[in-house]
């Protein structure tokens, strides 16, 4: 009997790498669960399991937090969600391929706090840079590396 290595949850509302996730996950036989708000319902199914939640601000985050478990993987741009999940032993990566780590999440949260304070003062930054093919390639490399490492560990369970 083969043990599944993990489930892969995707904060899907604004995720630009959905097709890449499905392609990579299929090669590792890992279940993909896309979580989105009802305001982002997909009209054409691209695959995976789709869970829709209310459009309230944190509903997607709450669903992922409540249904993911140690050893799962979550793809999100949300630093606050990443912080919660890391404490549960969940691997978290951004759609740009950045892996969030326990050692660095505090700095990321602090930068988010400082940016929010500046916005409240009326000081606005340019925002994130446009999503590029380099970002897409970095994401693919990071997800492949994580799944490959987990697959290798599964063989010794």
């Amino acid at each position: 009997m083969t043990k599944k290595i993990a489930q892969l949850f995707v904060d899907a509302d604004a995720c630009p790498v959905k097709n890449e996730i499905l392609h990579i996950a299929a090669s590792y036989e890992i279940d993909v669960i896309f979580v989105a708000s009802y305001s982002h319902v997909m009209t054409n199914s691209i695959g995976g399991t789709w869970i829709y939640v209310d459009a309230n601000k944190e509903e997607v985050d709450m669903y992922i937090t409540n249904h993911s478990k140690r050893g799962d993987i979550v793809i999100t741009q949300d630093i606050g969600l990443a912080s919660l999940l890391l404490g549960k032993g969940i691997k978290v990566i951004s759609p740009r391929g950045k892996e969030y780590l326990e050692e660095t999440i505090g700095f990321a949260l602090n930068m988010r706090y400082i940016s929010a304070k500046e916005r409240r003062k009326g000081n606005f930054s340019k925002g994130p840079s446009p999503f590029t093919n380099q970002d897409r390639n970095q994401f693919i490399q990071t997800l492949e590396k994580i799944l490959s490492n987990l697959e290798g560990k599964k063989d010794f369970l």
Side-chain angles (χ1 to χ4, degrees):
M1 180 173 145
T2 305
K3 182 182 188 292
K4 290 241 181 216
I5 56 174
Q7 291 186 104
L8 200 154
F9 288 85
V10 181
D11 183 346
D13 283 343
C15 181
V17 288
K18 294 177 189 88
N19 290 323
E20 290 82 355
I21 293 166
L22 288 169
H23 178 74
I24 295 167
S27 65
Y28 289 92
E29 298 179 359
I30 187 168
D31 295 331
V32 178
I33 300 142
F34 293 99
V35 185
S37 67
Y38 283 115
S39 59
H40 292 92
V41 171
M42 293 284 290
T43 55
N44 56 338
S45 177
I46 62 170
T49 301
W50 282 81
I51 305 292
Y52 292 101
V53 296
D54 288 337
N56 295 335
K57 188 174 184 224
E58 305 299 331
E59 291 295 325
V60 169
D61 297 354
M62 290 305 299
Y63 184 92
I64 291 172
T65 301
N66 290 333
H67 290 85
S68 58
K69 63 188 178 323
R70 176 175 292 285
D72 284 344
I73 302 161
V74 172
I75 298 164
T76 185
Q77 299 179 72
D78 187 318
I79 295 168
L81 176 59
S83 176
L84 288 171
L85 298 173
L86 288 172
K88 290 177 59 176
I90 295 167
K91 295 265 187 200
V92 185
I93 62 175
S94 78
R96 292 180 188 257
K98 176 182 178 177
E99 183 175 358
Y100 295 106
L101 303 170
E102 284 276 351
E103 305 84 57
T104 58
I105 197 69
F107 178 76
L109 287 167
N110 194 39
M111 293 305 295
R112 182 182 77 161
Y113 171 74
I114 290 169
S115 294
K117 272 179 61 173
E118 288 300 312
R119 284 191 302 276
R120 283 192 298 274
K121 290 180 187 176
N123 301 324
F124 295 93
S125 64
K126 293 180 185 176
S129 58
F131 190 81
T132 65
N133 280 333
Q134 184 176 352
D135 294 327
R136 188 176 310 280
N137 291 334
Q138 180 63 47
F139 172 79
I140 290 168
Q141 288 177 353
T142 302
L143 184 57
E144 283 273 4
K145 181 180 125 192
I146 289 170
L147 290 176
S148 178
N149 287 341
L150 288 175
E151 177 103 319
K153 290 177 185 176
K154 177 184 83 166
D155 293 338
F156 295 102
L157 294 177

